[in-house]
Amino acid sequence: MQANPIKTNKKLSINNSIITYKSNIFLIINFNKDSTMFVINQLAVLTALLSYVLGSNLEHDGSVTIRLQQALVFEQFPVWSERGNITIQSLRLGQATVDQKPLSLEEQKLLRDLAARNSYYQIKSIVTSNDGSERTFVSSVKACMLAESELDDRLSVSIDYMGRVIGVTLVVASNSACEGIIVPLEKLKFFNTVVYVRHSETGPIPDTASFIQKIEREKEAKEKGETKDNRSFLAKYWMYIIPLLIFMAISSASNPEAPQGQ
Amino acid sequence: MAKFEKLLLKITLIIIHLHYSFAIYEDQVGKFDWKRSFIGKTKFAEFESKRIIVVTDENVLASLNANNGQIVWRQVLETPKDNTVKLLYIDRDIYTINGALNGWIVRGWDIMTGSLVTEWSIPTEKMDISEFLVLDGRLVNIVPIVGSHLEISTYYLSTGELIGKTSKISTPWLTDASNCIFAKSYYICISSNDYSGQLYYIDFLYKSDKLNTKSLQGFLEDLLGPVYILRVNSDRPAFLLASRSTVKLIEIENDNLVVKNYDISTTPFIAKNEEQQILYQLEASSNPEKLINVVTKDYTTGEELSRIDLEYPVGLGAPTIVASSSKKHNSFLLLSTSDNALLLVKLPEGKVHWTREEALSDIVATEFFELPVSELDASIENEFKTNSNNIINMLVHRLTTQAKQLSNLIFGSQLLSDSGLVRDKFGFHKLIVVATRIGKLFALDTISGSIAWSYRLPNVKPFNILDEDKMLLFIQRTARYAPLPAQCMLLAEDLITGDSIVFQFDPITGYSKNGIEKLNVKIAQAILLPHEDENQLKAVLLLSSNNDALVYPSSAKSLVFKHIKHTHIYLSDSANGILKGFNFYHSTEDDFKLTPTWEMKFYPSKLVSVNVKHPNERVHSQGRVLPDRSVYYKYVNPNLISVATVSEDPIHKHVLSIYLVDGITGLVMYSASHKRAKGPIHVVHSENWLVYSYFNERFRRTEVVSAELYEGHVQSNSTVFSSHAVSVLPHVQTQSYILPANPVKFAVTLTEKGITNKFLLIALSTGAVIEIPWLLLQPRFNDIPCGPEESCIPYMPEIPLSSEAIINYNQTLYRIKGIEVAPARLESTSHILVHGLDMFYTRVAPSKTFDVLKEDFDHLMIVLVLTGLIAASYITKYLASKKTLKQLWK
């Protein structure tokens, strides 16, 4: 009997991203329309994300600090530089204070180049929870999208039912990948980051109570006897009367010929 | 009137429900379904008049018809996971003993019907190995306790009454129970696996105080290598001593050892003829056509009585004899092979009477294949496919192909159409290629259920993915591209090294050009890439356990490189509870490098399921039309991964968490948790919805939750989907149900264009596979009325399981391990293969067969009516003209 070799339990699958570039004239004409849509959708993101905050069901509240680092050159083994700190005082309420330093001119140029090469901007979040445990997460966004949004990004901090952070993802709200706009450098200075703490919803349970109520109500109604239908005669039987009328109208329209023929 | 309306409402509701129950008629049984029953690899077997009683590794007791190998009856015992059958004994009834370390069950079965006659148990507290044997109609239970003693208990077999007391025999010399065997009333041990060892034997029943000791050196010639003691089936107390080069049969006669001085294999089979004891053994033959010889020897003298060439089928593994029956002139041998087949051989002819492919009782990978077009169709297609634009060339090409067609028509065509493996109009005729745990590949015909070909791969084993054993089959090229043959690839692990092996083959014929190829790396991930090369061949991207990427076949590397920068991949590490996303942005033409892009850490929760949608699935409708005629758009993200984790919790016992994660960005789209919910967790992920089931510990019932994702009334980007562009988080509608059954597997139907409604297929522990329309589970909107007018079934907390919805009607399927689904070419229909201990194939049509005429459609009637009408119109025309003519003359 030989010993079983160590197996790697890794699930197999594929994901292909669909990447498109919209840079033709048609879209530039349409751009204004698109940008209004964009605002609407941003609002939608806000409301959608807020609904998660309100649906909090955490048993113990906690606080979390996140040290954010960024990589302005997309590499296989990136070099991280400090971006700022985020403190979430209350996971339950999702309150966060964001403290980020502005990008230096050099960094701005790096970001612009990254965007021009259709490359990725990466962040690394080092999450320290109040029991002292530390977890790090990497997240990437398309640099061009970050640039086009003028550094207006969102940080989604997902927590599980116990309040443990399971993922930190950087997102840029937009309804298409990249538009191909050239953004002036001065707009790439200050990050406008909104942090969303995203709770795990309480899963639904079978709604037996209301179903039993419904059945009982039906039973009661049956016992009480038929409820009076106090609609007028026409309102009740219009579906029978109209076809009859139509039929009569047709037959009377074709009838007059008959006596003529005789 | 109100009463009438209520009645009307009820009738419509009933009609809606009836519409979704699809029972078949009695005369349709077996018309488009088939079932094959299996028993597993044979462990013990015995001939009993015209039957063969078999007990298998799958803990199945069965009676086979000796004439054709068919199952007469079958009893499925406890699952083999932690339960083994120790003994099969046939007297007037059949007795089996099975159980685990802390308790054994003795059962008596009727030989003719297989019904249970008696049952009693032997409770033991000790966690020691038990051995059982039957001597003189009494059951003897031996518990060897290492370094101390043997515990011997004797019971009446039929009643379970203990005879006398449990006796203890002091055996301080007993060091390792695996070096001990028992033969009749003797317990025989060797003290160590080399020549310095001693041989101890003791008659534990009759002379338990007398221990006999012998040195091993006297029995075997060569003094190197390990020594083993082996059991042999004999009426007398005998055993085998084996070293690397020699095997000796030793019999105990009156406490003395008698060594039989003749050549013997390690797996001889001793049988009793009318006159004498004989010994069968299988030997390799020098004859290249008949590879195996059956050698018969006299047991006492060792004289060779006969040597018969066996007509052993090519492709089967190495056999061993498990049972024999000897009559006057002919005898039968039951052979079990290393690839789990069971065959009956008739002697002295040496012919194989029948074969059972028991490997099919454990399937680890399945794929459906479309058959190639017939040769005539292919040549017609070929006729209009020329490379040159030259008129003369084209003419010549057409003439030659037409001449070929003519010759085929006259002289009959070759191979493919002869075997009947030709594509049909509706895609009902397909080949199912299955890979089994033992490493044997089979192709099954969907119409008849027969085996089209089989191929044995020695020394392979499946991968273990999230506690499930799986091999991977990839369709690299379908049969659509005639004359290029279809191509499929199997990925598995080497049994010895654990490295991966690749086996590339033509799924229609089973022909493999290269055979097994060893990759010499452990594979952690494998992906079939969607891009085809000039030969319409898709490449497979393999990821080794230390994240090196390989392309198979390696010739496709440059093609893969073109698309690699836009390929994303995820890896799940279930041991550490980590899910990671990567892309290949930094790849060069020779070296595909993985760059991590996102990660999720679920630790200390345990990953129990990671699911993606079926890659071939199509979503036909973009939205759901609400009663107010507005459209609610579906959130159809092709990159969505569903993840289920279970965590141990001090208060809530187990907590199940469900996450929907985007595979490109790692953004959690939705997450939900269920407290006091434990596994088994089943997840089905399709279109814009997810269905999962778990066991609710609080209410002690199985619950099913459906969650559906919508974008809302506005579609954020109707032309193209990008995971990077997150504009709206999906709105999630959920609803929960009670499933009044114990599910073992979930699946969802798949059709070619995705127009047909979806059905959920749930395999239950009762052996039924039930179909439930997705409409029944689809979450209802709170603010929208639900009733027959909106074609919506009002919410019911309990899922109704009607017996009409069982797709395998009254054919119970044991130990279902998987449900495989594939689309037919007819939009309404899907192929279903349910496998486990049994295999069941059928076709389901979730929206009924709306695109094909019913099979009882009356063609004659419609022809008669039509001709009648035409004739009548002509006759009346003639009569009318005649009448007008007459009137004009008046």
Side-chain angles (χ1 to χ4, degrees):
Chain A
M1 287 288 139
Q2 86 281 349
N4 276 338
I6 302 153
K7 287 167 208 149
T8 44
N9 294 342
K10 288 182 180 177
K11 170 85 188 171
L12 317 163
S13 179
I14 174 170
N15 287 293
N16 290 314
S17 74
I18 302 155
I19 293 158
T20 49
Y21 302 98
K22 287 187 172 180
S23 55
N24 51 25
I25 299 158
F26 176 72
L27 270 150
I28 291 167
I29 296 164
N30 266 348
F31 177 64
N32 272 332
K33 199 180 152 199
D34 256 28
S35 65
T36 51
M37 279 272 286
F38 178 69
V39 174
I40 294 165
N41 283 322
Q42 271 190 337
L43 285 173
V45 172
L46 278 170
T47 48
L49 285 170
L50 275 171
S51 73
Y52 278 88
V53 178
L54 294 172
S56 155
N57 60 329
L58 273 186
E59 280 161 21
H60 317 285
D61 202 356
S63 64
V64 152
T65 53
I66 302 170
R67 205 171 114 213
L68 271 190
Q69 294 180 327
Q70 62 186 353
L72 287 160
V73 183
F74 187 50
E75 281 167 321
Q76 203 185 1
F77 305 103
V79 181
W80 303 104
S81 61
E82 294 298 324
R83 175 172 151 174
N85 286 307
I86 290 165
T87 315
I88 302 169
Q89 293 96 340
S90 162
L91 282 174
R92 195 177 278 173
L93 299 174
Q95 288 169 336
T97 35
V98 184
D99 170 30
Q100 293 182 109
K101 60 176 181 127
L103 288 183
S104 67
L105 190 65
E106 216 156 284
E107 286 172 326
Q108 288 171 21
K109 277 180 186 158
L110 280 174
L111 184 63
R112 190 184 59 187
D113 292 350
L114 212 58
R117 267 183 282 124
N118 189 28
S119 191
Y120 291 88
Y121 167 84
Q122 283 193 302
I123 60 153
K124 183 169 149 186
S125 4
I126 302 154
V127 180
T128 317
S129 56
N130 44 354
D131 63 353
S133 61
E134 208 178 84
R135 289 181 179 201
T136 55
F137 299 94
V138 174
S139 179
S140 319
V141 285
K142 287 196 97 91
C144 54
M145 288 176 69
L146 186 69
E148 280 172 26
S149 73
E150 295 164 6
L151 303 188
D152 179 23
D153 55 4
R154 275 143 185 74
L155 200 69
S156 152
V157 180
S158 296
I159 58 174
D160 70 357
Y161 76 101
M162 278 289 282
R164 290 182 286 246
V165 177
I166 54 157
V168 179
T169 316
L170 194 69
V171 180
V172 177
S174 153
N175 64 339
S176 61
C178 286
E179 303 278 353
I181 322 158
I182 292 156
V183 183
L185 260 191
E186 61 267 25
K187 293 212 167 165
L188 300 178
K189 188 156 189 186
F190 297 103
F191 281 105
N192 177 20
T193 306
V194 187
V195 179
Y196 296 104
V197 179
R198 302 184 56 207
H199 297 261
S200 174
E201 274 180 38
T202 306
I205 50 163
D207 189 7
T208 42
S210 68
F211 184 72
I212 291 167
Q213 270 177 13
K214 195 180 130 199
I215 296 225
E216 266 169 12
R217 240 181 288 134
E218 267 174 32
K219 217 190 234 171
E220 261 172 44
K222 216 183 216 174
E223 279 166 8
K224 267 185 195 167
E226 286 121 45
T227 44
K228 268 259 174 203
D229 192 351
N230 43 15
R231 287 181 295 172
S232 73
F233 180 80
L234 269 179
K236 265 196 274 184
Y237 305 117
W238 62 268
M239 66 280 246
Y240 307 108
I241 295 164
I242 288 173
L244 200 76
L245 284 175
I246 292 170
F247 179 73
M248 279 161 73
I250 291 168
S251 57
S252 64
S254 55
N255 259 356
E257 285 168 28
Q260 273 181 4
Q262 267 184 355
Chain B
M1 203 59 213
K3 206 172 189 177
F4 172 72
E5 275 168 13
K6 212 172 218 175
L7 196 76
L8 200 77
L9 188 88
K10 269 184 187 160
I11 289 168
T12 35
L13 267 181
I14 288 165
I15 288 168
I16 286 175
H17 283 287
L18 277 182
H19 179 77
Y20 294 111
S21 57
F22 289 86
I24 56 168
Y25 292 101
E26 200 175 346
D27 61 343
Q28 286 177 309
V29 165
K31 211 156 190 185
F32 38 75
D33 59 47
W34 46 261
K35 182 196 174 197
R36 299 281 170 272
S37 295
F38 299 100
I39 51 175
K41 185 180 171 65
T42 305
K43 196 172 186 178
F44 308 117
E46 245 171 273
F47 278 85
E48 176 63 42
S49 64
K50 281 184 178 170
R51 307 272 181 85
I52 305 169
I53 310 296
V54 196
V55 167
T56 66
D57 284 345
E58 294 283 335
N59 286 5
V60 174
L61 171 71
S63 167
L64 304 177
N65 186 332
N67 289 328
N68 51 21
Q70 263 161 23
I71 298 170
V72 181
W73 53 259
R74 182 177 66 160
Q75 292 288 354
V76 179
L77 308 179
E78 286 83 352
T79 50
K81 215 172 172 185
D82 46 6
N83 197 300
T84 49
V85 180
K86 279 279 183 184
L87 183 84
L88 168 74
Y89 175 76
I90 302 173
D91 191 21
R92 262 183 320 188
D93 292 325
I94 301 163
Y95 288 94
T96 57
I97 298 177
N98 72 308
L101 285 180
N102 53 1
W104 301 91
I105 302 168
V106 183
R107 290 189 178 109
W109 312 87
D110 186 70
I111 293 182
M112 292 312 289
T113 61
S115 49
L116 188 67
V117 181
T118 54
E119 185 181 61
W120 52 277
S121 60
I122 307 173
T124 54
E125 295 92 55
K126 295 194 190 72
M127 299 300 272
D128 288 295
I129 313 150
S130 270
E131 299 294 346
F132 296 93
L133 76 155
V134 176
L135 277 178
D136 313 324
R138 290 165 180 193
L139 178 73
V140 184
N141 177 14
I142 312 159
V143 185
I145 290 153
V146 173
S148 169
H149 62 276
L150 283 179
E151 281 186 13
I152 314 285
S153 320
T154 321
Y155 303 88
Y156 285 114
L157 194 55
S158 51
T159 60
E161 197 186 323
L162 186 69
I163 305 167
K165 272 186 182 171
T166 302
S167 63
K168 284 183 185 173
I169 300 165
S170 175
T171 54
W173 38 267
L174 179 60
T175 50
D176 183 0
S178 66
N179 273 341
C180 296
I181 59 144
F182 54 88
K184 294 282 123 185
S185 65
Y186 282 92
Y187 195 72
I188 307 147
C189 286
I190 53 172
S191 61
S192 61
N193 290 100
D194 57 44
Y195 290 88
S196 58
Q198 296 282 319
L199 182 77
Y200 299 99
Y201 58 101
I202 189 164
D203 186 340
F204 56 79
L205 224 50
Y206 304 110
K207 286 175 276 181
S208 58
D209 48 345
K210 195 188 168 205
L211 173 73
N212 303 285
T213 315
K214 286 264 157 55
S215 169
L216 277 179
Q217 271 160 355
F219 299 107
L220 296 157
E221 280 95 29
D222 61 338
L223 297 172
L224 289 165
V227 182
Y228 298 103
I229 186 163
L230 301 166
R231 282 188 73 171
V232 68
N233 74 311
S234 171
D235 288 349
R236 302 179 203 182
F239 60 94
L240 292 175
L241 265 186
S243 71
R244 200 185 306 167
S245 59
T246 50
V247 183
K248 280 280 172 323
L249 179 67
I250 299 164
E251 198 184 301
I252 306 172
E253 268 179 36
N254 302 326
D255 278 356
N256 293 317
L257 298 180
V258 180
V259 180
K260 305 279 178 194
N261 275 319
Y262 47 82
D263 286 340
I264 197 163
S265 75
T266 52
T267 54
F269 192 87
I270 298 162
K272 208 171 181 182
N273 214 337
E274 268 85 29
E275 308 99 43
Q276 80 235 77
Q277 287 252 339
I278 47 170
L279 194 144
Y280 292 109
Q281 59 189 50
L282 301 173
E283 283 177 14
S285 148
S286 49
N287 186 344
E289 278 170 22
K290 292 175 178 177
L291 295 166
I292 288 166
N293 277 343
V294 179
V295 180
T296 318
K297 282 180 178 171
D298 189 301
Y299 176 75
T300 35
T301 60
E303 181 198 349
E304 192 175 301
L305 300 173
S306 65
R307 180 175 282 268
I308 299 156
D309 282 338
L310 214 62
E311 282 182 12
Y312 197 68
V314 185
L316 282 182
T320 46
I321 306 169
V322 287
S324 79
S325 113
S326 302
K327 279 172 198 156
K328 271 172 204 158
H329 300 297
N330 47 25
S331 48
F332 292 96
L333 287 184
L334 190 69
L335 308 183
S336 172
T337 68
S338 61
D339 56 343
N340 293 5
L342 187 68
L343 48 141
L344 188 74
V345 174
K346 196 178 178 190
L347 298 179
E349 291 92 336
K351 270 190 183 147
V352 174
H353 223 56
W354 48 258
T355 312
R356 288 184 65 87
E357 289 285 5
E358 291 301 333
L360 285 168
S361 66
D362 202 345
I363 291 170
V364 288
T366 318
E367 203 60 75
F368 286 75
F369 285 91
E370 209 161 321
L371 290 164
V373 291
S374 69
E375 227 156 294
L376 188 71
D377 290 348
S379 71
I380 290 168
E381 251 173 57
N382 197 24
E383 195 177 323
F384 300 101
K385 222 195 290 175
T386 44
N387 295 328
S388 71
N389 290 325
N390 190 334
I391 288 177
I392 299 162
N393 277 355
M394 278 158 79
L395 182 76
V396 169
H397 182 81
R398 285 195 66 171
L399 284 178
T400 47
T401 47
Q402 279 172 0
K404 248 187 228 165
Q405 283 166 29
L406 193 72
S407 79
N408 272 350
L409 208 67
I410 296 163
F411 304 110
S413 67
Q414 298 138 16
L415 205 98
L416 280 176
S417 37
D418 286 351
S419 58
L421 290 178
V422 172
R423 190 186 299 185
D424 62 341
K425 217 182 270 174
F426 296 149
F428 289 164
H429 197 184
K430 285 197 173 193
L431 270 189
I432 312 171
V433 172
V434 296
T436 58
R437 176 186 301 272
I438 202 78
K440 200 166 181 177
L441 286 169
F442 293 91
L444 306 161
D445 193 315
T446 55
I447 301 292
S448 61
S450 58
I451 295 169
W453 55 263
S454 68
Y455 198 105
R456 185 171 59 92
L457 306 172
N459 296 329
V460 297
K461 65 169 183 196
F463 295 99
N464 190 296
I465 304 162
L466 288 167
D467 289 336
E468 244 183 286
D469 286 337
K470 270 184 192 154
M471 289 189 192
L472 299 165
L473 278 171
F474 295 111
I475 308 176
Q476 289 188 291
R477 182 168 56 211
T478 61
R480 199 173 298 158
Y481 305 105
L484 292 165
Q487 195 164 321
C488 180
M489 184 183 131
L490 177 86
L491 197 69
E493 268 178 22
D494 191 285
L495 190 65
I496 299 144
T497 59
D499 290 347
S500 283
I501 61 115
V502 166
F503 178 67
Q504 215 168 24
F505 60 97
D506 176 355
I508 310 302
T509 59
Y511 169 75
S512 174
K513 208 167 81 184
N514 304 329
I516 298 177
E517 291 166 68
K518 290 192 176 171
L519 291 179
N520 295 327
V521 282
K522 287 188 175 61
I523 293 297
Q525 257 280 26
I527 308 158
L528 183 72
L529 296 169
H531 323 292
E532 293 174 350
D533 68 0
E534 67 275 10
N535 290 329
Q536 271 82 31
L537 201 70
K538 287 178 186 169
V540 175
L541 187 70
L542 303 168
L543 220 63
S544 77
S545 47
N546 39 6
N547 287 357
D548 293 327
L550 301 166
V551 174
Y552 191 91
S554 46
S555 55
K557 214 163 182 176
S558 58
L559 170 86
V560 173
F561 180 69
K562 264 189 234 163
H563 305 280
I564 198 86
K565 287 204 173 177
H566 306 313
T567 304
H568 293 248
I569 191 172
Y570 76 87
L571 292 176
S572 82
D573 179 352
S574 61
N576 298 318
I578 295 175
L579 201 65
K580 269 187 174 181
F582 299 88
N583 68 12
F584 290 91
Y585 194 86
H586 293 105
S587 301
T588 56
E589 194 132 4
D590 318 301
D591 189 10
F592 292 165
K593 285 180 189 145
L594 281 177
T595 314
T597 53
W598 57 268
E599 58 193 327
M600 291 188 77
K601 287 172 182 165
F602 300 105
Y603 186 81
S605 303
K606 211 176 140 237
L607 272 177
V608 288
S609 152
V610 181
N611 251 299
V612 287
K613 293 175 208 176
H614 197 283
N616 296 342
E617 186 186 73
R618 285 196 195 173
V619 182
H620 184 260
S621 107
Q622 287 293 305
R624 180 174 168 183
V625 182
L626 300 182
D628 62 359
R629 300 276 164 251
S630 66
V631 177
Y632 210 47
Y633 286 100
K634 291 176 182 174
Y635 179 77
V636 190
N637 181 349
N639 308 319
L640 212 56
I641 308 168
S642 66
V643 182
T645 67
V646 171
S647 28
E648 304 278 329
D649 192 281
I651 306 158
H652 310 293
K653 289 187 181 174
H654 299 95
V655 179
L656 163 72
S657 300
I658 296 282
Y659 302 96
L660 285 174
V661 183
D662 187 287
I664 310 293
T665 60
L667 181 68
V668 178
M669 292 296 175
Y670 170 70
S671 70
S673 57
H674 293 264
K675 280 157 190 162
R676 301 190 73 173
K678 67 168 185 182
I681 313 286
H682 302 284
V683 183
V684 168
H685 189 183
S686 172
E687 287 196 354
N688 65 327
W689 52 265
L690 181 81
V691 169
Y692 56 93
S693 82
Y694 58 88
F695 185 77
N696 188 326
E697 284 176 299
R698 194 164 151 227
F699 295 109
R700 294 169 182 275
R701 65 190 182 197
T702 303
E703 291 179 1
V704 177
V705 177
S706 63
E708 203 170 10
L709 283 75
Y710 288 103
E711 277 195 21
H713 287 291
V714 190
Q715 209 168 11
S716 67
N717 193 336
S718 57
T719 48
V720 69
F721 180 85
S722 169
S723 277
H724 292 293
V726 186
S727 62
V728 187
L729 280 175
H731 304 190
V732 185
Q733 293 276 336
T734 57
Q735 197 123 56
S736 179
Y737 303 86
I738 302 164
L739 185 72
N742 183 23
V744 287
K745 206 83 206 174
F746 271 63
V748 64
T749 57
L750 187 72
T751 53
E752 182 124 311
K753 302 264 189 301
I755 301 167
T756 309
N757 287 342
K758 292 262 178 188
F759 261 19
L760 235 64
L761 300 163
I762 305 178
L764 307 177
S765 56
T766 56
V769 180
I770 208 153
E771 52 182 10
I772 294 172
W774 159 242
L775 262 181
L776 206 65
L777 294 180
Q778 191 168 31
R780 277 64 156 183
F781 291 95
N782 281 334
D783 45 348
I784 292 170
C786 183
E789 284 156 36
E790 292 86 22
S791 71
C792 166
I793 305 161
Y795 173 73
M796 280 176 290
E798 189 174 291
I799 301 170
L801 299 179
S802 69
S803 52
E804 285 89 9
I806 299 174
I807 59 168
N808 53 333
Y809 41 103
N810 63 353
Q811 310 207 56
T812 307
L813 305 174
Y814 286 100
R815 294 193 197 137
I816 296 170
K817 281 192 197 120
I819 305 174
E820 310 297 334
V821 182
R825 287 172 81 207
L826 209 58
E827 168 56 29
S828 64
T829 314
S830 319
H831 295 272
I832 309 284
L833 180 81
V834 185
H835 60 85
L837 192 60
D838 298 304
M839 202 159 54
F840 178 78
Y841 162 86
T842 192
R843 293 195 296 264
V844 295
S847 300
K848 291 198 168 174
T849 46
F850 58 81
D851 46 3
V852 71
L853 287 177
K854 287 243 162 55
E855 53 179 23
D856 55 356
F857 183 80
D858 204 339
H859 290 90
L860 186 72
M861 186 69 186
I862 202 156
V863 168
L864 280 178
V865 168
L866 275 176
T867 44
L869 279 173
I870 292 164
S873 67
Y874 274 100
I875 291 164
T876 46
K877 198 180 169 190
Y878 170 72
L879 289 175
S881 68
K882 219 172 165 185
K883 200 180 173 187
T884 44
L885 191 68
K886 260 184 195 168
Q887 253 174 3
L888 285 174
W889 276 107
K890 256 182 194 171

